[in-house]
């Protein structure tokens, strides 16, 4: 660690010399420069779509933060570095951010391999890694600089299980899940909760992200004779499964995790996703003011486009980052400490978000039970489908 | 029992979908002995042109198909004229690399034009379903089957009875002889690329409609499955490609039936390896047919390597060794650490691909084996990290050689495809063997690098460690190349029949090369595991294998210094282009294409 100290010393003295020479670089110049957040995420490669969704949410939140006067009068901005969700690139980006004194905290990365490979660097470098989509149970165990607002699957899945089992009355469930760390963890939490509520899991099938053809999987599902299908999927694969299930003649109730909550799910699934039940964290007609503000602002900024779950995560993350920086200022350690102090930040996903200091996560996500009716997500009216 | 009927029907339906891509690949392979890795990208382009036609211009289906076919054919002609024709007299591996570069560029162009979000591509056929067995099929299934079978049949007739078809076959059998007989080889190639691209575009359109979904990630998957199907049917054999596709679909479907969904691709790739080992020319090759690969090693042409004086190398090594003493940022050091890790992988690959001529497309599997071994040794058995990394190297050497040994009898492209399949199999085994590898959850909390009890956690010390390991491996390999053993390796590469006649046991030498190469790759994977602290089955993926091969070809096959230079270039370039944000991979692809175009033997030449 002595190396870091020497290096920062060298940098510090260099900066001081430059400041002296230019003489304009003082306390005044500081406030004209924006406070900079580093973002590490996919803009190209197979996960590029999620990076572009992040940007939309960030930009909207930033517009609102600026309109409200910025961070104590200073601007807030982010520098997005494309990692392709590749651990080799995310570690280089981590060093880049850690050694860039302008960066006060980091947001991302998207996938667990990319995020958690970079964690040791952020931890040793003393820069907060704020992983707002990192549901891997070990992510925040990387150290006290790892914080996450990703909805814990231990919270989310029992809500979905309650919707499917208690509300919809399903007793024999087929679980189809994305075979990633997220899908696997979710499946386990879901199955445990569903069993607790008295349902039986008759078949579970894990599929890889590139899969497009589910017909044979659905024959397995049919032969297990379930009364409901549970999709622990993202919107594109969720739509594919729903379509193919209807095509092969499966008429069971389909109930999906909140990650399918996107207008794309309906666009891609068409008529097949009609009557699909989705447990989500917010919904368009939600009367909560933060949700109305988010949806109205999003539609206005992006030509009437409906926001989806990933837009909401990144929007919330930027608002959380602003709240933290307001308390912690620009000192990296103070920012870490600010995560323990920040309270009741207005949030689309959580209503109001406060970190649980022990787990460095936020508990108590909001819950809305939706169903697709006439090509729209609507609050479920309690009628069976 | 009725379920088995359903699995069979489903297998045939998805086989149908694979056939569309496989036929195009087979056609191109038949003529130019080239696995066109850009075929999936043409498929992608076709799907998006179809989207524009259907959603924006509201064209009726027959017109949509014509528009897509023509547009895709034009793309194919452009690829042939500007991407591949300039390379026809260079090393045979150059066009292969060019198609990889072209696929990068096309995929990125589509992504930049249409955004990476998936889109719906509505089917223009009436939505009626016919009950078959326990499931249903729709008109689109029939259309896809119709297009696949008709195109295979038409191509068969075209190749057998038309004059241009004869020219195509003559060119396929012997280019030079065909030219002497007055066949316009370029025109033949053009025709073939045009037809294959039109077919590829239409298949993208139909498959997009089939799933009502198109996105930019569909290209690589289409290529992979198409290649498997094509090789199973017999590379270059058009009707064989259709049957190979149906067989692939069936094997996948039965695999799902018996073992579950997460085993699906495992069966696809196992089928490929079994077919390659038992019948290397594909299931439908006749016994009298000339082998589709040349008997001698013209796959890798010798060239005059650039001689770099020893003192220059020593100076370069010294500069890199003392680099951390200067105020360079940790970002630069980290980027170079990545380069050194990739350099070790490239050393391994340049030995097996360049020196002994076994071009591997699954080298990331060796990284994964080394990484998992080292991580598990240090986590569960508390083996010191330094020893665990060596253990990873040894395991990679042993297991890698064992896995690859059945394909030692293969040549040229077939080695690449077999290794590609083995790479996928390793990744899928890691995903499914949960009791050992922890499956998709991955391994977290891997201890950091340490040496003799001292933790190496500052970027400077990791830099020195990885640089030193790479230099030691490079020196060993350099020594190996100048030894008797190295000369034997090259003899096998250049002419394996002559080498065998001279008394060299091919399998033994190939094993030796893979043992040495496997060790270097395993060590690289082991270091990476301790550097990242978390790995799962996605950490070491196919893109890594392709990147490693690009490094090796860029540096010059078999060239030790070239491998390290290539690694620095290919890790560094995307970082340098970071300023270009979304455009950086596009620029990277173009730079790659230019390098292949003007320096196909690699920067430093083949040794």
């Amino acid at each position: 660690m002595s190396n870091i100290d020497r290096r920062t010393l060298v940098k510090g003295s260099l900066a001081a010399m430059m400041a002296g020479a230019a003489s304009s670089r003082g306390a005044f110049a500081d406030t004209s420069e924006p406070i900079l957040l580093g973002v590490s995420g996919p803009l190209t490669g197979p996960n590029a779509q999620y990076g572009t969704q992040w940007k939309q949410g960030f930009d909207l939140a930033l517009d609102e933060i600026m309109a409200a006067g910025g961070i104590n009068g200073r601007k807030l901005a982010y520098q997005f570095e494309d990692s392709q969700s590749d651990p080799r690139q995310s570690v280089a980006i981590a060093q880049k951010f850690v050694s860039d004194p302008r960066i006060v905290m980091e947001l991302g990365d998207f996938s667990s391999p990319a995020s958690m490979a970079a964690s040791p660097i952020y931890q040793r470098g003393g820069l907060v890694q704020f992983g707002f989509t990192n549901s891997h149970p070990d992510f925040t165990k990387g150290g006290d600089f790892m914080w996450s607002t990703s909805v814990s699957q231990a919270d989310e899945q029992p809500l979905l299980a309650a919707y499917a089992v208690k509300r919809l009355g399903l007793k024999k469930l087929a679980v189809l899940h994305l075979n990633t760390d997220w899908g696997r963890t979710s499946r386990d939490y879901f199955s445990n909760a569903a069993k607790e509520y008295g349902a039986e899991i008759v078949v579970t099938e894990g599929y890889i992200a590139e899969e497009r053809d589910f017909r044979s999987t659905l024959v397995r599902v049919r032969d297990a004779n379930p009364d409901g299908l549970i999709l622990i999927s993202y919107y594109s694969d969720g739509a594919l499964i729903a379509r193919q299930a209807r095509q092969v003649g499966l008429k069971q109730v389909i109930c999906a995790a909140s990650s399918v909550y996107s207008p794309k799910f309906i666009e891609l699934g068409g008529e097949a996703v009609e009557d699909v039940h989705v447990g989500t964290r917010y919904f368009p007609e939600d009367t909560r003011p933060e949700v109305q503000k988010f949806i109205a602002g999003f539609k206005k900024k992006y030509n009437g486009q409906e926001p989806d779950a990933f837009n909401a995560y990144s929007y919330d993350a930027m608002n959380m980052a602003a709240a933290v920086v307001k308390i912690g200022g620009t000192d990296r350690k103070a920012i870490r400490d600010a995560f323990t102090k920040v309270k009741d930040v207005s949030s689309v996903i959580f209503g109001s978000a406060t970190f649980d200091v022990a787990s460095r996560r936020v508990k108590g996500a909001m819950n809305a039970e939706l169903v697709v009716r006439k090509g729209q997500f609507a609050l479920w009216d309690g009628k069976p489908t | 029992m009725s379920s088995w009927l359903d699995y069979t029907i489903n297998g045939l339906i998805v086989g149908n979908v694979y056939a569309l891509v496989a036929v195009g690949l087979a056609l191109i392979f038949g003529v130019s002995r080239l696995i066109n890795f850009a075929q999936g990208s043409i498929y992608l382009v076709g799907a998006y042109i179809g989207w524009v036609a259907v959603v924006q211009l509201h064209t009726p289906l027959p017109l949509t198909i014509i528009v897509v076919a023509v547009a895709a054919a034009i793309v194919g002609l452009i690829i042939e004229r500007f991407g591949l024709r300039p390379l026809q007299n260079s090393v045979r591996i150059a066009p292969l690399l060019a198609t990889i570069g072209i696929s990068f560029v096309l995929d990125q162009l589509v992504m930049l034009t249409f955004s990476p979000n998936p889109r719906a591509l509505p089917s223009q056929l009436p939505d009626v379903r016919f009950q078959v067995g326990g499931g249903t099929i729709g008109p689109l299934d029939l259309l896809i089957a119709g297009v696949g079978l008709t195109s295979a049949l038409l191509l068969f007739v075209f190749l057998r009875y038309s004059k241009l078809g004869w020219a195509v076959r003559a060119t396929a059998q012997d280019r030079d002889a065909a030219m002497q007989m007055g066949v316009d080889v370029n025109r033949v190639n053009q025709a073939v690329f045009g037809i294959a691209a039109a077919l590829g575009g239409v298949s993208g359109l139909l498959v997009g409609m089939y799933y009502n979904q198109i996105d930019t990630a569909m290209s690589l998957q289409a290529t992979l499955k198409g290649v498997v199907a094509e090789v199973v049917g017999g590379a270059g054999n058009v009707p064989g490609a259709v049957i190979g596709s149906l067989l692939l679909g069936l094997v996948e479907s039965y695999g799902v039936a018996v073992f579950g969904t997460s085993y699906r691709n495992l069966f696809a790739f196992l089928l490929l390896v079994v077919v390659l080992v038992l019948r290397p020319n594909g299931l439908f090759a006749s016994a009298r047919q000339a082998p589709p690969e040349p008997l001698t090693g013209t796959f890798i042409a010798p060239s005059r390597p650039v001689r770099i004086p020893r003192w220059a190398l020593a100076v370069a090594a010294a500069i890199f060794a003392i680099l951390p003493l200067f105020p360079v940022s940790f970002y630069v050091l980290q980027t170079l650490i990545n380069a050194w890790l990739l350099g070790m992988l490239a050393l391994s690959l340049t030995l097996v691909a360049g020196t002994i001529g076994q071009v591997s497309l699954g080298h990331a599997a060796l990284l994964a084996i080394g990484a998992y071994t080292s991580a598990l040794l240090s986590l569960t058995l508390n083996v010191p990290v330094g020893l665990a990394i060596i253990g990873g190297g040894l395991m990679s050497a042993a297991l890698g050689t064992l896995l690859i040994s059945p394909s030692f009898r293969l040549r040229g492209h077939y080695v690449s495809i077999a290794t590609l399949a083995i790479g996928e199999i390793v990744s899928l085994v890691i995903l499914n063997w949960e009791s050992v590898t922890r499956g998709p959850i991955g391994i977290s909390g891997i201890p950091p690098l340490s040496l003799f009890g001292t933790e190496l956690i500052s970027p400077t010390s990791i830099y020195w460690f990885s640089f030193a390991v790479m230099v030691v491996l490079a020196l060993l390999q350099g020594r190996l190349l100048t030894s008797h053993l190295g000369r034997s390796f090259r003899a096998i590469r250049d002419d394996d029949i002559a080498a065998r006649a001279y008394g060299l046991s091919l399998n033994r030498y190939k094993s030796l090369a893979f043992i040495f190469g496997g060790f270097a790759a395993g060590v690289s994977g082991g270091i990476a595991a301790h550097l990242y602290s978390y790995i799962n089955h996605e950490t070491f993926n196919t893109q890594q294998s392709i990147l490693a091969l690009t490094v090796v070809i860029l540096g010059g096959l078999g060239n030790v210094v070239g491998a390290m230079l290539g690694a620095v270039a290919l890790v560094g370039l995307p970082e340098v282009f970071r300023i270009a944000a979304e455009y950086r991979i596009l620029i990277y692809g173009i730079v790659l294409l230019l390098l292949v175009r003007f320096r196909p033997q690699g920067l430093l030449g083949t040794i």
Side-chain angles (χ1 to χ4, degrees), chain B residues 521-544:
Chain B
V523 165
S524 170
I527 297 174
H530 295 282
L531 187 67
Y532 298 159
S533 84
Y534 173 77
I535 52 173
N536 76 2
H537 66 287
E538 291 170 328
T539 309
F540 308 100
N541 52 20
T542 317
Q543 276 101 318
Q544 271 297 296

PDB file of all heavy atoms in Angstrom, chain B residues 521-544:
ATOM      1  N   ALA B 521      -1.336 -21.515 -20.515  1.00  0.00           N
ATOM      2  CA  ALA B 521      -2.698 -20.970 -20.456  1.00  0.00           C
ATOM      3  C   ALA B 521      -3.293 -21.154 -19.071  1.00  0.00           C
ATOM      4  O   ALA B 521      -3.964 -20.255 -18.546  1.00  0.00           O
ATOM      5  CB  ALA B 521      -3.575 -21.642 -21.512  1.00  0.00           C
ATOM      6  N   GLY B 522      -3.041 -22.311 -18.465  1.00  0.00           N
ATOM      7  CA  GLY B 522      -3.581 -22.574 -17.130  1.00  0.00           C
ATOM      8  C   GLY B 522      -3.031 -21.611 -16.101  1.00  0.00           C
ATOM      9  O   GLY B 522      -3.753 -21.133 -15.219  1.00  0.00           O
ATOM     10  N   VAL B 523      -1.735 -21.294 -16.216  1.00  0.00           N
ATOM     11  CA  VAL B 523      -1.134 -20.331 -15.290  1.00  0.00           C
ATOM     12  C   VAL B 523      -1.789 -18.966 -15.469  1.00  0.00           C
ATOM     13  O   VAL B 523      -2.129 -18.279 -14.493  1.00  0.00           O
ATOM     14  CB  VAL B 523       0.389 -20.256 -15.522  1.00  0.00           C
ATOM     15  CG1 VAL B 523       0.973 -19.035 -14.849  1.00  0.00           C
ATOM     16  CG2 VAL B 523       1.058 -21.517 -15.008  1.00  0.00           C
ATOM     17  N   SER B 524      -2.010 -18.583 -16.722  1.00  0.00           N
ATOM     18  CA  SER B 524      -2.668 -17.297 -16.982  1.00  0.00           C
ATOM     19  C   SER B 524      -4.056 -17.270 -16.345  1.00  0.00           C
ATOM     20  O   SER B 524      -4.430 -16.292 -15.682  1.00  0.00           O
ATOM     21  CB  SER B 524      -2.765 -17.083 -18.491  1.00  0.00           C
ATOM     22  OG  SER B 524      -3.580 -15.993 -18.784  1.00  0.00           O
ATOM     23  N   GLY B 525      -4.812 -18.360 -16.518  1.00  0.00           N
ATOM     24  CA  GLY B 525      -6.146 -18.426 -15.915  1.00  0.00           C
ATOM     25  C   GLY B 525      -6.076 -18.377 -14.402  1.00  0.00           C
ATOM     26  O   GLY B 525      -6.870 -17.703 -13.748  1.00  0.00           O
ATOM     27  N   GLY B 526      -5.105 -19.092 -13.835  1.00  0.00           N
ATOM     28  CA  GLY B 526      -4.953 -19.109 -12.384  1.00  0.00           C
ATOM     29  C   GLY B 526      -4.676 -17.714 -11.835  1.00  0.00           C
ATOM     30  O   GLY B 526      -5.301 -17.281 -10.859  1.00  0.00           O
ATOM     31  N   ILE B 527      -3.752 -17.000 -12.483  1.00  0.00           N
ATOM     32  CA  ILE B 527      -3.455 -15.636 -12.013  1.00  0.00           C
ATOM     33  C   ILE B 527      -4.710 -14.770 -12.117  1.00  0.00           C
ATOM     34  O   ILE B 527      -5.049 -14.014 -11.199  1.00  0.00           O
ATOM     35  CB  ILE B 527      -2.298 -15.021 -12.829  1.00  0.00           C
ATOM     36  CG1 ILE B 527      -1.016 -15.830 -12.606  1.00  0.00           C
ATOM     37  CG2 ILE B 527      -2.073 -13.568 -12.440  1.00  0.00           C
ATOM     38  CD1 ILE B 527       0.142 -15.394 -13.464  1.00  0.00           C
ATOM     39  N   ALA B 528      -5.426 -14.916 -13.227  1.00  0.00           N
ATOM     40  CA  ALA B 528      -6.637 -14.111 -13.419  1.00  0.00           C
ATOM     41  C   ALA B 528      -7.641 -14.375 -12.300  1.00  0.00           C
ATOM     42  O   ALA B 528      -8.252 -13.438 -11.767  1.00  0.00           O
ATOM     43  CB  ALA B 528      -7.256 -14.402 -14.780  1.00  0.00           C
ATOM     44  N   ALA B 529      -7.802 -15.645 -11.920  1.00  0.00           N
ATOM     45  CA  ALA B 529      -8.769 -15.980 -10.872  1.00  0.00           C
ATOM     46  C   ALA B 529      -8.438 -15.243  -9.571  1.00  0.00           C
ATOM     47  O   ALA B 529      -9.319 -14.679  -8.925  1.00  0.00           O
ATOM     48  CB  ALA B 529      -8.790 -17.486 -10.634  1.00  0.00           C
ATOM     49  N   HIS B 530      -7.154 -15.229  -9.210  1.00  0.00           N
ATOM     50  CA  HIS B 530      -6.779 -14.578  -7.949  1.00  0.00           C
ATOM     51  C   HIS B 530      -6.820 -13.055  -8.065  1.00  0.00           C
ATOM     52  O   HIS B 530      -7.018 -12.359  -7.084  1.00  0.00           O
ATOM     53  CB  HIS B 530      -5.402 -15.054  -7.512  1.00  0.00           C
ATOM     54  CG  HIS B 530      -5.392 -16.520  -7.188  1.00  0.00           C
ATOM     55  ND1 HIS B 530      -5.875 -17.022  -6.005  1.00  0.00           N
ATOM     56  CD2 HIS B 530      -5.025 -17.592  -7.922  1.00  0.00           C
ATOM     57  CE1 HIS B 530      -5.777 -18.348  -6.024  1.00  0.00           C
ATOM     58  NE2 HIS B 530      -5.271 -18.716  -7.182  1.00  0.00           N
ATOM     59  N   LEU B 531      -6.638 -12.588  -9.292  1.00  0.00           N
ATOM     60  CA  LEU B 531      -6.725 -11.149  -9.518  1.00  0.00           C
ATOM     61  C   LEU B 531      -8.169 -10.671  -9.399  1.00  0.00           C
ATOM     62  O   LEU B 531      -8.460  -9.635  -8.805  1.00  0.00           O
ATOM     63  CB  LEU B 531      -6.181 -10.864 -10.921  1.00  0.00           C
ATOM     64  CG  LEU B 531      -6.010  -9.429 -11.351  1.00  0.00           C
ATOM     65  CD1 LEU B 531      -4.913  -8.791 -10.519  1.00  0.00           C
ATOM     66  CD2 LEU B 531      -5.615  -9.390 -12.827  1.00  0.00           C
ATOM     67  N   TYR B 532      -9.101 -11.456  -9.977  1.00  0.00           N
ATOM     68  CA  TYR B 532     -10.506 -11.030 -10.016  1.00  0.00           C
ATOM     69  C   TYR B 532     -11.246 -11.322  -8.710  1.00  0.00           C
ATOM     70  O   TYR B 532     -12.269 -10.720  -8.429  1.00  0.00           O
ATOM     71  CB  TYR B 532     -11.264 -11.748 -11.141  1.00  0.00           C
ATOM     72  CG  TYR B 532     -10.757 -11.471 -12.523  1.00  0.00           C
ATOM     73  CD1 TYR B 532     -11.029 -12.338 -13.577  1.00  0.00           C
ATOM     74  CD2 TYR B 532     -10.013 -10.333 -12.804  1.00  0.00           C
ATOM     75  CE1 TYR B 532     -10.573 -12.093 -14.855  1.00  0.00           C
ATOM     76  CE2 TYR B 532      -9.547 -10.080 -14.074  1.00  0.00           C
ATOM     77  CZ  TYR B 532      -9.825 -10.965 -15.098  1.00  0.00           C
ATOM     78  OH  TYR B 532      -9.374 -10.719 -16.363  1.00  0.00           O
ATOM     79  N   SER B 533     -10.805 -12.351  -7.978  1.00  0.00           N
ATOM     80  CA  SER B 533     -11.435 -12.799  -6.744  1.00  0.00           C
ATOM     81  C   SER B 533     -12.805 -13.458  -6.977  1.00  0.00           C
ATOM     82  O   SER B 533     -13.350 -14.078  -6.094  1.00  0.00           O
ATOM     83  CB  SER B 533     -11.591 -11.674  -5.714  1.00  0.00           C
ATOM     84  OG  SER B 533     -12.762 -10.923  -5.946  1.00  0.00           O
ATOM     85  N   TYR B 534     -13.368 -13.298  -8.166  1.00  0.00           N
ATOM     86  CA  TYR B 534     -14.648 -13.966  -8.460  1.00  0.00           C
ATOM     87  C   TYR B 534     -14.620 -14.467  -9.898  1.00  0.00           C
ATOM     88  O   TYR B 534     -14.234 -13.720 -10.807  1.00  0.00           O
ATOM     89  CB  TYR B 534     -15.826 -12.998  -8.287  1.00  0.00           C
ATOM     90  CG  TYR B 534     -17.143 -13.576  -8.746  1.00  0.00           C
ATOM     91  CD1 TYR B 534     -17.823 -14.487  -7.960  1.00  0.00           C
ATOM     92  CD2 TYR B 534     -17.683 -13.230  -9.979  1.00  0.00           C
ATOM     93  CE1 TYR B 534     -19.021 -15.041  -8.393  1.00  0.00           C
ATOM     94  CE2 TYR B 534     -18.883 -13.782 -10.415  1.00  0.00           C
ATOM     95  CZ  TYR B 534     -19.549 -14.682  -9.611  1.00  0.00           C
ATOM     96  OH  TYR B 534     -20.727 -15.239 -10.039  1.00  0.00           O
ATOM     97  N   ILE B 535     -14.978 -15.725 -10.098  1.00  0.00           N
ATOM     98  CA  ILE B 535     -15.102 -16.241 -11.468  1.00  0.00           C
ATOM     99  C   ILE B 535     -16.388 -17.049 -11.563  1.00  0.00           C
ATOM    100  O   ILE B 535     -16.851 -17.629 -10.573  1.00  0.00           O
ATOM    101  CB  ILE B 535     -13.912 -17.161 -11.872  1.00  0.00           C
ATOM    102  CG1 ILE B 535     -13.680 -18.259 -10.843  1.00  0.00           C
ATOM    103  CG2 ILE B 535     -12.647 -16.350 -12.075  1.00  0.00           C
ATOM    104  CD1 ILE B 535     -12.645 -19.289 -11.256  1.00  0.00           C
ATOM    105  N   ASN B 536     -16.992 -17.071 -12.743  1.00  0.00           N
ATOM    106  CA  ASN B 536     -18.028 -18.067 -12.999  1.00  0.00           C
ATOM    107  C   ASN B 536     -17.900 -18.546 -14.437  1.00  0.00           C
ATOM    108  O   ASN B 536     -16.905 -18.245 -15.111  1.00  0.00           O
ATOM    109  CB  ASN B 536     -19.427 -17.545 -12.629  1.00  0.00           C
ATOM    110  CG  ASN B 536     -20.007 -16.566 -13.620  1.00  0.00           C
ATOM    111  OD1 ASN B 536     -19.401 -16.260 -14.641  1.00  0.00           O
ATOM    112  ND2 ASN B 536     -21.179 -16.068 -13.333  1.00  0.00           N
ATOM    113  N   HIS B 537     -18.872 -19.290 -14.902  1.00  0.00           N
ATOM    114  CA  HIS B 537     -18.706 -19.930 -16.211  1.00  0.00           C
ATOM    115  C   HIS B 537     -18.636 -18.921 -17.351  1.00  0.00           C
ATOM    116  O   HIS B 537     -18.258 -19.269 -18.451  1.00  0.00           O
ATOM    117  CB  HIS B 537     -19.862 -20.905 -16.452  1.00  0.00           C
ATOM    118  CG  HIS B 537     -21.185 -20.213 -16.577  1.00  0.00           C
ATOM    119  ND1 HIS B 537     -21.829 -19.666 -15.488  1.00  0.00           N
ATOM    120  CD2 HIS B 537     -21.956 -19.938 -17.641  1.00  0.00           C
ATOM    121  CE1 HIS B 537     -22.955 -19.105 -15.901  1.00  0.00           C
ATOM    122  NE2 HIS B 537     -23.051 -19.262 -17.188  1.00  0.00           N
ATOM    123  N   GLU B 538     -19.023 -17.674 -17.077  1.00  0.00           N
ATOM    124  CA  GLU B 538     -19.000 -16.678 -18.158  1.00  0.00           C
ATOM    125  C   GLU B 538     -17.689 -15.904 -18.223  1.00  0.00           C
ATOM    126  O   GLU B 538     -17.457 -15.156 -19.158  1.00  0.00           O
ATOM    127  CB  GLU B 538     -20.137 -15.660 -17.950  1.00  0.00           C
ATOM    128  CG  GLU B 538     -21.507 -16.247 -18.165  1.00  0.00           C
ATOM    129  CD  GLU B 538     -22.605 -15.296 -17.719  1.00  0.00           C
ATOM    130  OE1 GLU B 538     -22.384 -14.536 -16.764  1.00  0.00           O
ATOM    131  OE2 GLU B 538     -23.687 -15.343 -18.320  1.00  0.00           O
ATOM    132  N   THR B 539     -16.845 -16.074 -17.196  1.00  0.00           N
ATOM    133  CA  THR B 539     -15.630 -15.259 -17.152  1.00  0.00           C
ATOM    134  C   THR B 539     -14.718 -15.543 -18.345  1.00  0.00           C
ATOM    135  O   THR B 539     -14.111 -14.639 -18.903  1.00  0.00           O
ATOM    136  CB  THR B 539     -14.884 -15.506 -15.835  1.00  0.00           C
ATOM    137  OG1 THR B 539     -15.799 -15.349 -14.756  1.00  0.00           O
ATOM    138  CG2 THR B 539     -13.740 -14.541 -15.657  1.00  0.00           C
ATOM    139  N   PHE B 540     -14.607 -16.821 -18.714  1.00  0.00           N
ATOM    140  CA  PHE B 540     -13.716 -17.183 -19.817  1.00  0.00           C
ATOM    141  C   PHE B 540     -14.574 -17.715 -20.959  1.00  0.00           C
ATOM    142  O   PHE B 540     -14.905 -18.887 -20.995  1.00  0.00           O
ATOM    143  CB  PHE B 540     -12.708 -18.230 -19.355  1.00  0.00           C
ATOM    144  CG  PHE B 540     -11.978 -17.816 -18.102  1.00  0.00           C
ATOM    145  CD1 PHE B 540     -12.351 -18.307 -16.868  1.00  0.00           C
ATOM    146  CD2 PHE B 540     -10.936 -16.914 -18.174  1.00  0.00           C
ATOM    147  CE1 PHE B 540     -11.687 -17.914 -15.721  1.00  0.00           C
ATOM    148  CE2 PHE B 540     -10.274 -16.512 -17.035  1.00  0.00           C
ATOM    149  CZ  PHE B 540     -10.650 -17.009 -15.799  1.00  0.00           C
ATOM    150  N   ASN B 541     -14.963 -16.842 -21.880  1.00  0.00           N
ATOM    151  CA  ASN B 541     -15.948 -17.240 -22.885  1.00  0.00           C
ATOM    152  C   ASN B 541     -15.347 -17.340 -24.280  1.00  0.00           C
ATOM    153  O   ASN B 541     -14.156 -17.130 -24.481  1.00  0.00           O
ATOM    154  CB  ASN B 541     -17.126 -16.259 -22.857  1.00  0.00           C
ATOM    155  CG  ASN B 541     -16.647 -14.830 -22.962  1.00  0.00           C
ATOM    156  OD1 ASN B 541     -15.530 -14.584 -23.418  1.00  0.00           O
ATOM    157  ND2 ASN B 541     -17.455 -13.891 -22.540  1.00  0.00           N
ATOM    158  N   THR B 542     -16.208 -17.668 -25.247  1.00  0.00           N
ATOM    159  CA  THR B 542     -15.752 -17.857 -26.622  1.00  0.00           C
ATOM    160  C   THR B 542     -15.054 -16.623 -27.175  1.00  0.00           C
ATOM    161  O   THR B 542     -14.090 -16.739 -27.936  1.00  0.00           O
ATOM    162  CB  THR B 542     -16.953 -18.182 -27.535  1.00  0.00           C
ATOM    163  OG1 THR B 542     -17.777 -19.114 -26.857  1.00  0.00           O
ATOM    164  CG2 THR B 542     -16.503 -18.773 -28.847  1.00  0.00           C
ATOM    165  N   GLN B 543     -15.540 -15.444 -26.789  1.00  0.00           N
ATOM    166  CA  GLN B 543     -14.899 -14.227 -27.293  1.00  0.00           C
ATOM    167  C   GLN B 543     -13.418 -14.188 -26.911  1.00  0.00           C
ATOM    168  O   GLN B 543     -12.590 -13.694 -27.666  1.00  0.00           O
ATOM    169  CB  GLN B 543     -15.588 -12.971 -26.738  1.00  0.00           C
ATOM    170  CG  GLN B 543     -16.819 -12.555 -27.518  1.00  0.00           C
ATOM    171  CD  GLN B 543     -18.082 -13.003 -26.816  1.00  0.00           C
ATOM    172  OE1 GLN B 543     -18.154 -14.128 -26.299  1.00  0.00           O
ATOM    173  NE2 GLN B 543     -19.092 -12.165 -26.773  1.00  0.00           N
ATOM    174  N   GLN B 544     -13.096 -14.734 -25.718  1.00  0.00           N
ATOM    175  CA  GLN B 544     -11.698 -14.809 -25.296  1.00  0.00           C
ATOM    176  C   GLN B 544     -10.877 -15.677 -26.235  1.00  0.00           C
ATOM    177  O   GLN B 544      -9.750 -15.340 -26.584  1.00  0.00           O
ATOM    178  CB  GLN B 544     -11.627 -15.435 -23.893  1.00  0.00           C
ATOM    179  CG  GLN B 544     -11.719 -14.445 -22.791  1.00  0.00           C
ATOM    180  CD  GLN B 544     -10.562 -13.498 -22.829  1.00  0.00           C
ATOM    181  OE1 GLN B 544      -9.425 -13.889 -22.663  1.00  0.00           O
ATOM    182  NE2 GLN B 544     -10.860 -12.248 -23.094  1.00  0.00           N
TER     183      GLN B 544
END
